[in-house]
Amino acid sequence: MSEDPNGAASAAPALRQRLAQVRGVSVPPRPLDARALAALAANPGCHRRALLDGAGVNKPRLAEALGVPSGFGQSQFAFMRGHAFEARVKADGGAELLRLAHACLGGGPAPDGGGEVPRLAAPGQAERVARTEEALREAAGRRGGWTLLDHPMLALEVAGSDAFLEPDAIVVHPDGGWSVVEIKSFPMLDGSADAAKVGAAARQAAVYVLALEEAAGRLAKRLGGTPAVRHQVLLVCPKDFSNLPTGAAVDVRKQRAVTRRQLSRLTRVEDVAAALPPGVCFDPDRPPDELLRAVESVPASYAPECLSACELAFHCRERARAAGDVTALGRSVRGELGGLTSVEEVLTAAASPDGAGDGGDPGTDATVAALRRAARLRAEALATAGAGAPDRGPGCR
């Protein structure tokens, strides 16, 4: 049977229309950025987040409408300080940024001042992606010089829909290599920065590297070969307690591989949307009880790590605790408990009326046996502590 060559083209507008209905036709879509993608890749089994992010739902407003607002976001002071630092790094045609790129990443002769800074303005996101790719093609044709792309726009397909990503900068080296630049406002003290913050920046940069690799693949025919996208990104931060920029090369190969694998595991957004009950809409202006039913119609996969990555984490945590879901205790605990998925099941398994939980019964599941033995040891320890505790009198506890 022959396939319809226009099937994919006709499916895309239908999917966009369906996602607009899910989001609320009058609600503008919230762009899916690299930070959200990195968090989504860390929890690929969460259909709820995949749908809400894919549809462009405003999750902070949705969380407020549900009565569980998130504590996400920068202060206005931190926001302004970050913008001021970024402007300083990119001043004079990016002279300081290119100097740091050469010092940390190499890629050709040292820059003599600033480099080429092409204009990337365009009316829409898709147009900005096209303009960015055209600028990359032009820069590749000027081998021997430095080019700085300031806030380019990249596209990355995620679960069947396009995510438009805007890295701080991309540097094209004289040797033809392409590097992602991440500019952060947290300091590097004595040449090192907070490990957790560097790790988060590396995961975010890995998403940009994946998107840049896709752009390189699309340009390969026009360039006569695939450009080299570096897996070392340039991290630029304030030096010590000053506002002077310093840089470091961060290898993101591990983060890139993990992110690519996790994003490939995401259930396609159209599959999740197709399973929704009729009329489901996440417009934050709808009544709270209607929003609650809409949110609960999409399965979630909560873990404590969500608290630092998702605006709906407080809502999902309440639901997980109310249901007695062991995932609320962490993924490591969930993995150790095997087929036991609720706290009630765990407590039932730990009960050992016959005391045969130490592996003596070969038919006993290993997880259940370990739980029974742990429960018995705990009971013995509490009994011993209670028997040996001195009587301190009624007033001392």
Side-chain angles (χ1 to χ4, degrees):
M1 188 172 79
S2 61
E3 296 185 0
D4 179 8
N6 297 320
S10 60
L15 175 60
R16 286 195 294 268
Q17 182 179 0
R18 179 71 178 107
L19 294 181
Q21 293 170 349
V22 168
R23 181 181 64 248
V25 178
S26 61
V27 180
R30 185 179 176 89
L32 184 61
D33 59 16
R35 184 174 300 174
L37 274 181
L40 185 59
N43 190 7
C46 186
H47 291 188
R48 183 176 297 168
R49 174 150 197 173
L51 176 67
L52 296 180
D53 284 345
V57 174
N58 190 324
K59 294 202 301 296
R61 283 195 60 203
L62 180 60
E64 290 180 7
L66 291 173
V68 282
S70 66
F72 283 36
Q74 283 185 318
S75 68
Q76 189 65 21
F77 172 74
F79 188 76
M80 293 175 62
R81 182 183 61 188
H83 271 267
F85 177 69
E86 181 176 337
R88 177 169 186 167
V89 171
K90 295 178 178 177
D92 301 323
E96 184 64 17
L97 192 153
L98 295 179
R99 183 190 67 79
L100 292 172
H102 176 262
C104 298
L105 304 175
D112 183 14
E116 289 285 339
V117 185
R119 291 179 58 84
L120 303 177
Q125 291 179 318
E127 291 78 8
R128 286 186 61 193
V129 170
R131 180 67 195 101
T132 295
E133 293 187 1
E134 184 63 21
L136 287 169
R137 186 192 65 80
E138 293 171 354
R142 292 192 301 265
R143 292 180 71 96
W146 292 83
T147 301
L148 170 65
L149 275 65
D150 185 6
H151 283 287
M153 182 69 74
L154 303 172
L156 179 67
E157 183 181 342
V158 178
S161 61
D162 283 334
F164 295 99
L165 311 172
E166 187 177 342
D168 292 327
I170 293 174
V171 169
V172 180
H173 300 254
D175 64 2
W178 298 355
S179 297
V180 169
V181 179
E182 272 289 282
I183 302 175
K184 297 297 185 182
S185 58
F186 57 81
M188 283 191 188
L189 304 177
D190 294 329
S192 62
D194 182 89
K197 293 180 179 179
V198 173
R203 290 188 293 273
Q204 186 174 338
V207 176
Y208 294 136
V209 169
L210 287 174
L212 190 56
E213 287 177 338
E214 286 200 1
R218 287 191 292 269
L219 292 172
K221 285 187 178 180
R222 300 173 65 185
L223 295 175
T226 304
V229 177
R230 294 172 181 266
H231 293 154
Q232 279 192 323
V233 303
L234 176 63
L235 177 63
V236 180
C237 299
K239 182 178 181 180
D240 297 327
F241 298 101
S242 70
N243 203 35
L244 299 174
T246 187
V250 180
D251 193 322
V252 298
R253 282 178 294 183
K254 178 180 178 181
Q255 292 85 350
R256 172 194 167 279
V258 170
T259 302
R260 178 179 285 280
R261 182 173 66 252
Q262 297 291 66
L263 290 179
S264 68
R265 291 174 54 199
L266 287 174
T267 303
R268 296 181 69 85
V269 173
E270 58 262 41
D271 296 337
V272 181
L276 291 176
V280 167
C281 180
F282 299 94
D283 186 340
D285 292 329
R286 294 206 168 195
D289 57 340
E290 186 176 330
L291 285 176
L292 180 60
R293 287 194 298 272
V295 169
E296 291 303 310
S297 69
V298 188
S301 178
Y302 171 77
E305 294 86 350
C306 297
L307 293 172
S308 62
C310 182
E311 293 85 349
L312 287 179
F314 292 119
H315 170 80
C316 296
R317 181 178 64 177
E318 287 181 4
R319 293 291 167 171
R321 287 177 172 176
D325 196 334
V326 296
T327 56
L329 304 176
R331 292 195 180 97
S332 60
V333 175
R334 173 69 185 87
E336 291 288 341
L337 292 175
L340 304 176
T341 59
S342 71
V343 174
E344 183 179 357
E345 289 178 346
V346 173
L347 295 177
T348 301
S352 179
D354 57 1
D358 56 358
D361 179 6
T364 302
D365 179 85
T367 301
V368 175
L371 285 171
R372 289 177 178 175
R373 186 167 186 271
R376 189 171 67 253
L377 292 174
R378 177 179 181 275
E380 292 173 356
L382 291 176
T384 302
D391 186 3
R392 297 177 182 272
C396 301
R397 290 288 183 268

